Amino acid sequence: MENSYISKRIASFGYAWNGIVAFVRSEPHARIHVLATIVVVAAACWYRITAPEWIWTILSIALVWTTEMLNTVVEKMMDHLSPQLHPQVKFIKDVAAGAVLVAAIAAAIIGAVIFIPHIF
């Protein structure tokens, strides 16, 4: 029984990884996030940001990725549940997209606070 429990936990990581890969392959915004993540991590390495700056950078990246992934889930669910146009579906999808925008703005501000002093 122990092996079954452990193998199920290991399999759950595989399912999660498959979800990330599917997200990146199917969503154009995900590929933009991959590029932005690579640029930000490269800049962080180049400027040798401090440990606290790394923490804020990683949290910002994770926040944007997480909100974008959840937004994608909301959009796909709503498209499946209500393929026809409906004002409530539009509202739900707009609010989910707004959450991504809030996260992206916060990440940009955090990035500016961290990187501007290193650049100038």
Side-chain angles (χ1 to χ4, degrees):
M1 189 141 123
E2 183 79 26
N3 286 339
S4 175
Y5 175 81
I6 291 171
S7 63
K8 286 180 181 178
R9 301 298 66 82
I10 292 169
S12 69
F13 280 99
Y15 303 141
W17 180 252
N18 291 342
I20 294 168
V21 170
F23 171 68
V24 171
R25 285 185 176 159
S26 68
E27 299 301 314
H29 284 119
R31 292 187 288 281
I32 293 169
H33 293 309
V34 168
L35 179 61
T37 298
I38 291 168
V39 168
V40 168
V41 170
C45 292
W46 178 263
Y47 290 111
R48 297 183 179 167
I49 65 175
T50 65
E53 291 170 333
W54 268 110
I55 291 168
W56 284 106
T57 301
I58 292 165
L59 285 172
S60 297
I61 291 167
L63 178 67
V64 172
W65 273 84
T66 301
T67 54
E68 187 69 64
M69 292 173 86
L70 291 172
N71 176 57
T72 298
V73 168
V74 167
E75 288 184 359
K76 300 285 186 198
M77 283 175 36
M78 296 315 299
D79 290 345
H80 176 74
L81 295 173
S82 181
Q84 68 283 0
L85 295 177
H86 189 280
Q88 281 302 101
V89 170
K90 180 185 181 333
F91 173 82
I92 291 165
K93 291 170 80 170
D94 287 352
V95 171
V100 177
L101 182 59
V102 168
I105 291 169
I109 292 169
I110 290 167
V113 168
I114 291 171
F115 288 104
I116 287 175
H118 289 283
I119 294 169
F120 300 105

